[in-house]
Every structure is written in structure tokens, then in C-alpha cells.
Amino acid sequence: MCGITGVMQFGNARVEPETLRRMCAAMVHRGPDDEGIYTAGPVGIGMRRLSIVDLATGHQPLSNEDGTVWIVFNGEIYNHAELREKLQALGHQYRTHSDTETIVHLYEEYGPDCVQHLRGMFAFAIWDARRQRLFIARDRLGIKPLYYHLTSQQIVFGSEIKVILAFPGTGAQLDRTVLPEYLAFGYLSGEQTFYNGIRKLMPGHWMEVDPSGQIRIARYWDLPVTESDRSQPESYYIQAYREMLEQAVNSHLMSDVPLGVFLSGGVDSSAVAALMTKIRRAPVETFSVGYAEDAYSELPYARVVAKHLNSIHHEVLVSQQDFFDSLPHLIGHEDEPIVWPSSIPLYFVAQLAHSRVKVVLTGEGADETLAGYTRYAFTLKNAAWDRLYRRLIPGAVRGAVRGSIADSTWINATVRRKLSHTFLARNGNSWASFYFDNFFSAFSESEQSGLFTHEVLAECGAGAPYRHVLEYWEHSSGEMLQRLLYTDIKTYLVELLMKQDNMSMAASIESRVPFLDHLLVEFATNIPQNLQLGGLAGKRILKKAVEDLLPHSILYRPKLGFPTPWNRWLAGPQLDVICKLLLEPRSMERELFQRSAVERLFAEHRSGDRDHYDRIWRLLNLELWHRVCLEKEAHKPVSATAD
């Protein structure tokens, strides 16, 4: 695990070693153990290393036998030992025991198709001196990040945006066209970032760059959707999934340093911890985080699992002041506004783990591949009722019902919020309204029209919030559940993985996600819809697959989803602090939002007419991002209790 960076000039300019060192210094947290650079005229690559595998000889950049192919690599290749045997049989000679060298020899043998052989998480860059080509690739599901900035003079890339901004002459400027998608979802599901000109290499893609600056980007993997085989009994899927998950966990234990588990007390992380304990036949180190507010803490469940597994258990509590005081600092690590409040406790538990281990396994990815969120089952039922509703009730009446739910003064905020998720309040003719606005959007497109200034609205155009995510939905196929999973895996999950990567690497910890072994994902997402769900609960196959390992009270308890006391904190003086910050002249002078709309939002929240805590979170993070990442302001606490 490390951070990587590099530059390829398209003229006669040389890449100076000091430039690469400056870029590497911007991500020292990703790799505090080692640094390496390689330059060859117009090309330079660099890395910061967190030593995990082959501690003695795993230094990067690393080359092939004759020094014509050089690589920097971030990630882990879990099948590298198997690949090594095959490559040695083909005549390739190894100088190290690292998985990095396996990628080099695969590239020599197969060129860009080398990625098809890799099983793991990765972002890497290869300089091929023979062909004068720069080859960059990212893993199938987007577990590891890769950003780039392409101009007529050069391409600059790195594991974090701040690394690219460390390249001389690269400016940091907001791309205002991303704001509608951000206000709706909190994240960007396409290639764009918040920075003009800086883009993401998308998951499952590779890029090749020639000396003239011509680039070729190709998708090498997509989630395959096949017609569900309903001839197989449920027992087949339970047994097959258990075997594949156990194999994935086993492969993810590859390490020459201590490992642990992030344990929430939910099914996913508990299953990983249980399988890890079974495989190692010894207690594992588990790490949990919670809040002082008991109603929002899953620590009691984590303790039950830890006791059941006899793990070496560690806990940390996050207070309201911890949360708000660390927020600007963590936005700086993220480089973009933070999507979910749960990122903050994730950082604190990563810090806790750093004192004991270098690698943690997590339960990330199970919900999106095994239909773990209640929104999946709810949407299937909601869609069925909507079809009947639209067939029986005239459109004018349906519109009046929607309007009364949205505007009536006799419905309190709690009832309105619950009704707003049903077919009664949704436009069944619009998938954006029926699903995305229903479960993701803080600000729907119609709400944004009253928030943005006229200039921003004109710049972004109609349909901007949903443009990219609808492309994935329309590309999806299969049963409705498969389509929902496909869309979330391509969008929502990618952002969750960026949260996981950024917050763990901020604490110099490598996080691994065995549920996202790509063969396991392909199997899981093609389990028949009727076997995936039980009532409004998902992950039915997983729960049955690990019933011998975990208590029934853990497997079948209601899902909490690691809530944050954000709405409770906004009931106190913290709301006034945030309101004042967002209405400061400095904030309003950005001319993004109408002052009257922001004032109305806070007034409605104070009065209890509306629950605006998601919207306030979006606006706060965007403003702090401006100050921390664009204006380079010192990380000032935003807690109401700060001195």
C-alpha cells in the first residue's frame, strides 16, 4: 500500500527529481515508511510506501530485468503467488518477493491485458521505455483512487488530488458545473472532480498516453449481469457464497505486518472477523468506534461479537467537539467535501488501529452486492404499488396528493418525511424522483432551482443532478434488484470506497475489503432476487452462510447503518454556529446560493417545519472545502464548544 504519482511531458522538457519529491511529500501520510522516484527525460514516477508485503526488497519504483519497464503501484494483488509460478514458467525472472514485480512481468507478457489477470485492489502506472508509452490502470471496483490532470504540455497523475496540485503551475479552481450533482448526492459519479481540469480514472478502466499527448482510455471490466438460474436451490447459493467469501478473506490476510478488523457489530464486519478468527485459529484484534450518545452507538453490538470471538478488542468514543473540530482537517485529507458524517468516526477508529496494526479488514461492499439496504426491498414494493396506483388514479389527483404531502401545514416533519418516501409523494414516471430523490438527494433538482443563483443555474443546465447516475441506471439490465445493485456499485459504492481509503490512509492504515473480491461480486449480484431479500431485510444469503459463526442476535438484528447524532447536535447552539458561517459575507460573496434561500432553510429547521440536517451538512462541507482546499485556510474548529 502506498501513494503514487507521476508526470509525462509532451515536449523536450525534463521531469526534475525535486518536482516528484514535492509531490510525494504531499502524501507522506499514505506511505510514511519509504519514498522512491525514477526519472527518464520527459517522464518521472514516484511513490510513498506503507510497507506491508516483502518489507526488505519491495522498494519502488521497480523495473523488469533490463530496466525497460518501470512501475509504481498502490494496492495488493492477492493472487500474485499463483501468477508468479506461471510467469516463471514462461521464463520471467524475479528479484523480489513482492506483488509489484508480478504486475511488471504480466505487463511484459500481456501488455494492457495484464489487468485481466489481477485479483485485488490496485492503481498503478507503468513507463514502457521500449514503446514510449505511459500505462495507467485502476482496479475493477474503484477500491484504490487515481486522479489525473491533462494539458497540452503534460499529464500529471496521483493517488490524491493534493498531489497533482503540488505540481508547479497547477491551480485549484472550483468546477461549478458539478454543484447540482453534489447537492443531490453528495458525491460525483462521473469523471469530474470539484477541480477544473482534474479528473478521475474510472474503476475498471486503463489509460495509455503517448509522447505527443494522445491518450486512449478503455474499459476492461464491467459487472456482468446474467439471467438468474432459478433451478438451483437456496442451499447452493448459501454454500457457494460461504466458500467464496472464506477464500476471499483468506487471500486478504496476505501480509508481513500485523492485521486487524474494523468491527461495527453489524453482520458484514462481524462475518469478516469470524472468518478471520476461524482461518487463523487465534484471536484477532478488533477496533470499534461509537458516540457518547448511546442511541447512536453500535458499541454494545460490537462488544457482543468481540466476546463471542474472544478477540483483542479496542474502542474509541467520538464526542461532538471531536467531530466538529476535526471536520476541516479531514476535508483537507479528502480533497473534496465529505459526503457522509460517518467519515469522521472512521478516521478516529483508523487512528486507534494505527497504534496496534498496519492493515485492517472491513465489511465494506456487502450491502451493495447483497442488497443489504432496506431501500432495495422498499423500492421493489413501492414500484409494485405505484404501478397499481397509476393505473387506478387519474394524474391530476396524484399530483394533488403529492402537493398536499409536500406543502400541507397539518403534517408534521416526521410524518411528512415518512410519507415522502412512498409512491403517494413520488412521480412514478420519473426514476430520478422515484428512487434517486427518494433515497439519495439532499436537494432535488426542483429544490436546487430555488437555492442556486441564476448564474449557476444557467451554467449547469437542466437535468444536471442526475445526468451521470442515470447513465448507469439506463445501462443496467436484468431484474429490478440487479439494476439497483449495478447502479449503486458503479456510483454510491465507489464513493464509499474513497471514504474508506482517504480516512484510513490519513491515519497511515491500509484497509482491505474482502466482500469486493471481483469474482465474489459477480456471483453475489446474480443471485436470484427472491433469494436475496427477506421482507425489507437483505443479505439473506450471507446471514445463512455464517449462521454457524455468529450469534442469532447479531445476524438478525435491525440494521442501524452507523448513524451519527447530527440531527441531535443541530438542535443546540451548533446550528447557530453553522448558520453564521454560511451567511457570512465571505460565504455569500461566492455567489453560488441565494441568501434568502439559505436563511429560509435554517428558519424552517429551527421551527421544526422541515428536517434540513442533510441539506445543512452539504452546504457546510462545501463552504469548509472552499476555505480549506481552495483558500488554504488553517483548520479552524467549527464546534460550538470550541474555545
Side-chain angles (χ1 to χ4, degrees):
M1 173 66 72
C2 65
I4 65 172
T5 187
V7 182
M8 182 178 181
Q9 301 281 4
F10 301 142
N12 296 321
R14 298 176 60 85
V15 176
E16 297 299 327
E18 186 53 39
T19 298
L20 287 175
R21 291 192 184 97
R22 186 183 308 120
M23 296 166 72
C24 286
M27 57 176 178
V28 67
H29 52 279
R30 297 187 72 91
D33 297 334
D34 191 16
E35 178 181 281
I37 62 171
Y38 168 79
T39 59
V43 173
I45 53 178
M47 56 77 69
R48 290 291 318 189
R49 185 184 183 206
L50 181 68
S51 303
I52 304 293
V53 174
D54 190 10
L55 306 185
T57 62
H59 177 77
Q60 297 180 40
L62 185 147
S63 75
N64 63 344
E65 298 92 329
D66 61 8
T68 57
V69 176
W70 285 85
I71 187 173
V72 283
F73 161 58
N74 172 26
E76 305 289 352
I77 306 302
Y78 301 118
N79 64 334
H80 82 98
E82 170 192 337
L83 293 169
R84 180 188 182 105
E85 290 183 9
K86 295 178 180 178
L87 290 164
Q88 286 176 324
L90 291 170
H92 294 274
Q93 297 180 3
Y94 277 73
R95 290 172 293 145
T96 74
H97 297 287
S98 71
D99 51 350
T100 308
E101 189 172 6
T102 289
I103 304 175
V104 171
H105 296 312
L106 277 173
Y107 177 82
E108 287 183 290
E109 192 69 30
Y110 302 108
D113 284 342
C114 65
V115 291
Q116 301 288 356
H117 300 262
L118 300 174
R119 195 169 176 179
M121 55 181 187
F122 55 85
F124 64 82
I126 288 176
W127 169 241
D128 185 341
R130 299 166 303 183
R131 298 176 57 242
Q132 293 289 289
R133 295 290 188 274
L134 179 67
F135 178 75
I136 302 172
R138 189 176 176 198
D139 65 66
R140 295 166 179 83
L141 290 151
I143 305 169
K144 294 291 105 187
L146 200 290
Y147 302 92
Y148 67 94
H149 184 225
L150 177 68
T151 70
S152 59
Q153 288 80 40
Q154 72 268 323
I155 185 170
V156 183
F157 64 88
S159 295
E160 297 187 7
I161 292 172
K162 63 176 62 68
V163 176
I164 295 172
L165 295 175
F167 183 79
T170 305
Q173 183 181 20
L174 169 66
D175 181 350
R176 302 208 313 183
T177 64
V178 308
L179 291 176
E181 186 173 16
Y182 166 72
L183 287 186
F185 295 94
Y187 53 85
L188 309 178
S189 54
E191 294 179 330
Q192 288 173 284
T193 69
F194 276 75
Y195 301 80
N196 263 326
I198 298 180
R199 294 187 169 265
K200 297 171 280 192
L201 181 63
M202 298 300 285
H205 284 67
W206 57 254
M207 170 194 293
E208 194 172 64
V209 191
D210 73 14
S212 69
Q214 293 297 309
I215 70 168
R216 182 161 70 104
I217 297 177
R219 184 175 66 189
Y220 68 86
W221 182 85
D222 197 8
L223 183 63
V225 176
T226 61
E227 187 174 342
S228 298
D229 183 1
R230 295 182 179 272
S231 65
Q232 295 286 359
E234 182 183 61
S235 58
Y236 161 77
Y237 291 101
I238 294 170
Q239 181 179 348
Y241 192 84
R242 167 63 179 267
E243 291 174 355
M244 294 181 72
L245 178 61
E246 191 160 342
Q247 191 278 330
V249 171
N250 188 35
S251 70
H252 283 58
L253 299 180
M254 177 186 80
S255 176
D256 294 329
V257 296
L259 301 95
V261 183
F262 283 164
L263 181 64
S264 70
V267 176
D268 313 334
S269 61
S270 299
V272 170
L275 285 169
M276 187 173 170
T277 303
K278 176 179 180 288
I279 293 165
R280 302 189 79 178
R281 298 182 181 180
V284 301
E285 300 234 23
T286 53
F287 303 91
S288 301
V289 60
Y291 297 105
E293 293 84 353
D294 291 340
Y296 296 87
S297 180
E298 294 191 283
L299 286 178
Y301 299 109
R303 290 168 192 151
V304 169
V305 177
K307 183 177 180 180
H308 179 76
L309 299 177
N310 193 31
S311 70
I312 305 165
H313 190 56
H314 313 274
E315 295 180 353
V316 61
L317 281 176
V318 179
S319 69
Q320 179 178 345
Q321 183 166 349
D322 292 333
F323 183 96
F324 283 102
D325 287 356
S326 63
L327 182 57
H329 169 69
L330 296 180
I331 289 174
H333 268 292
E334 190 97 348
D335 290 325
E336 295 186 297
I338 289 178
V339 182
W340 299 287
S342 57
S343 290
I344 285 77
L346 177 57
Y347 169 74
F348 278 92
V349 76
Q351 275 195 318
L352 174 68
H354 176 75
S355 64
R356 303 281 301 185
V357 300
K358 269 193 173 183
V359 178
V360 290
L361 274 62
T362 83
E364 208 73 85
D367 284 315
E368 296 78 16
T369 58
L370 290 165
Y373 300 121
T374 56
R375 66 172 177 261
Y376 298 128
F378 183 88
T379 297
L380 298 185
K381 295 180 185 299
N382 211 27
W385 279 106
D386 178 69
R387 287 190 292 270
L388 179 63
Y389 182 56
R390 281 191 285 158
R391 189 162 64 243
L392 297 178
I393 307 299
V397 176
R398 298 197 307 270
V401 172
R402 284 199 301 272
S404 67
I405 292 173
D407 302 325
S408 176
T409 57
W410 56 267
I411 302 176
N412 67 35
T414 301
V415 174
R416 180 183 289 109
R417 185 175 65 250
K418 291 180 178 179
L419 284 174
S420 70
H421 288 297
T422 70
F423 63 92
L424 295 172
R426 293 289 148 191
N427 180 1
N429 293 313
S430 166
W431 192 248
S433 168
F434 197 79
Y435 185 63
F436 298 129
D437 282 349
N438 204 0
F439 295 104
F440 296 92
S441 297
F443 292 94
S444 67
E445 184 171 20
S446 61
E447 290 166 333
Q448 291 181 22
S449 66
L451 175 68
F452 281 129
T453 61
H454 297 302
E455 292 76 13
V456 173
L457 285 173
E459 193 173 335
C460 296
Y466 318 106
R467 187 174 300 130
H468 295 116
V469 70
L470 277 174
E471 289 175 1
Y472 288 110
W473 170 252
E474 290 164 0
H475 179 74
S476 65
S477 60
E479 298 177 306
M480 179 177 281
L481 180 61
Q482 288 178 303
R483 299 188 67 189
L484 294 172
L485 295 179
Y486 178 92
T487 305
D488 276 2
I489 287 169
K490 292 289 186 175
T491 57
Y492 181 81
L493 176 62
V494 176
E495 187 59 37
L496 279 176
L497 293 170
M498 291 304 92
K499 174 190 83 169
Q500 186 80 230
D501 179 83
N502 282 316
M503 294 300 102
S504 59
M505 290 309 302
S508 302
I509 284 286
E510 174 179 290
S511 60
R512 298 180 179 178
V513 283
F515 280 108
L516 294 180
D517 173 273
H518 76 274
L519 296 181
L520 185 63
V521 171
E522 292 172 0
F523 178 83
T525 52
N526 286 293
I527 296 172
Q529 180 173 293
N530 65 304
L531 298 180
Q532 286 271 40
L533 303 171
L536 289 180
K539 293 186 286 196
R540 179 175 167 181
I541 296 298
L542 171 62
K543 292 171 185 176
K544 289 181 177 292
V546 296
E547 279 185 336
D548 62 316
L549 298 176
L550 292 167
H552 186 276
S553 61
I554 293 297
L555 289 174
Y556 295 101
R557 71 176 178 87
K559 181 178 177 63
L560 287 180
F562 202 80
T564 298
W566 176 248
N567 56 341
R568 174 181 289 190
W569 293 338
L570 287 192
Q574 187 66 55
L575 183 65
D576 296 326
V577 173
I578 297 171
C579 180
K580 180 180 178 182
L581 184 145
L582 293 179
L583 291 172
E584 284 179 1
R586 173 183 178 182
S587 304
M588 287 290 103
E589 286 166 5
R590 305 191 196 284
E591 298 184 343
L592 300 177
F593 309 119
Q594 299 179 45
R595 183 183 185 90
S596 60
V598 178
E599 289 175 335
R600 183 169 59 253
L601 183 145
F602 278 92
E604 290 176 349
H605 191 85
R606 282 194 182 94
S607 69
D609 290 340
R610 294 287 191 278
D611 287 331
H612 285 314
Y613 47 84
D614 286 345
R615 297 176 178 90
I616 293 169
W617 173 259
R618 293 274 197 278
L619 297 177
L620 172 63
N621 272 267
L622 181 63
E623 177 57 31
L624 291 178
W625 172 78
H626 270 97
R627 299 182 182 204
V628 171
C629 294
L630 297 190
E631 298 165 359
K632 306 302 179 185
E633 179 179 276
H635 299 160
K636 296 179 180 178
V638 291
S639 170
T641 57
D643 293 332

